[in-house]
Amino acid sequence: MRRDAFTGGVDPGGLWVQNDIRILICYILDSVQAPLSQEDLSRIVQGRGLANYFETGDALAALEKLGHVRREEAGFTVTETGREIAARLDAELPVAVRDKALEAALLLLAEARARREHRVEVEEQANGCQVTCRIGGGGDRDLLRVSLYVPDRAQAQLAEERFYQNPDRVYRLVLAALTGDLEYAEELLR
């Protein structure tokens, strides 16, 4: 197979052909049906070692120039011709690449939704940080507010990241503990 893309940062099984990277971008945008920024697309593709960072940027620019993707205020979206490319050519991509890309994209969208609906506040204190995690209940009402002390900023950042990864699980875990459903709490921890 002819390789015409830089391979730096690409895991074995990743993409080394520029056209494949373009197909992957169309596939991702068509699959999630939501605008994604160039940074988001790079995080999805590069974060999973699927393609080189620079090649991803070049592929996105080429797709925009050809009219297969469109830049909007909220991010890039796929056009009708881009959808056709994704539908006709996605079988050209290895299944593992498609699965990794789609999983990463859906996780990114879920985290973005969590950041819109929930909040984490970090308050620096003399000997550490107070981290307050809020699970929104609509409007200005919180379904749950949990506050904890951590000894440094690094741990506060880790707590914030972990909370945003799955706030629903945090809510279910606290609820299970408070209602005495320890079996369910243990199941959530596995």
Side-chain angles (χ1 to χ4, degrees):
M1 172 181 269
R2 183 174 125 301
R3 296 180 180 182
D4 64 356
F6 292 117
T7 59
V10 181
D11 290 345
L15 303 177
W16 296 305
V17 178
Q18 293 171 354
N19 200 47
D20 289 349
I21 298 167
R22 292 177 189 148
I23 294 167
L24 179 62
I25 291 171
C26 289
Y27 173 77
I28 292 168
L29 289 171
D30 186 47
S31 296
V32 300
Q33 296 186 4
L36 294 173
S37 69
Q38 183 169 352
E39 179 184 312
D40 290 341
L41 284 163
S42 290
R43 281 179 50 201
I44 291 166
V45 174
Q46 188 187 12
R48 297 295 171 111
L50 301 175
N52 178 278
Y53 172 83
F54 299 106
E55 294 292 346
T56 302
D58 288 348
L60 188 58
L63 287 168
E64 183 179 17
K65 184 176 180 180
L66 292 168
H68 301 314
V69 300
R70 179 177 33 251
R71 185 187 310 247
E72 298 176 355
E73 190 174 320
F76 286 92
T77 59
V78 67
T79 64
E80 191 56 42
T81 59
R83 277 190 188 82
E84 290 173 17
I85 289 170
R88 274 196 257 139
L89 300 176
D90 70 346
E92 300 285 321
L93 301 173
V95 173
V97 167
R98 290 188 314 227
D99 290 350
K100 284 180 183 180
L102 191 54
E103 178 186 5
L106 294 175
L107 286 172
L108 184 132
L109 290 173
E111 185 176 325
R113 188 189 96 233
R115 287 183 183 274
R116 280 192 312 273
E117 296 175 0
H118 313 299
R119 291 189 316 264
V120 175
E121 297 163 358
V122 177
E123 182 183 326
E124 301 272 345
Q125 297 187 343
N127 295 322
C129 298
Q130 192 70 34
V131 180
T132 303
C133 302
R134 299 169 185 251
I135 295 179
D140 58 354
R141 174 172 286 137
D142 291 332
L143 284 178
L144 176 73
R145 183 183 311 176
V146 177
S147 188
L148 64 142
Y149 170 82
V150 294
D152 58 39
R153 183 75 179 136
Q155 288 184 38
Q157 241 179 330
L158 180 62
E160 180 178 1
E161 288 171 18
R162 293 284 166 88
F163 173 77
Y164 280 129
Q165 285 174 357
N166 199 340
D168 297 335
R169 185 175 184 198
V170 171
Y171 178 77
R172 291 192 315 258
L173 184 58
V174 170
L175 189 61
L178 292 174
T179 59
D181 191 348
L182 299 182
E183 218 173 277
Y184 184 55
E186 288 173 5
E187 182 182 318
L188 287 169
L189 288 171
R190 281 190 225 115

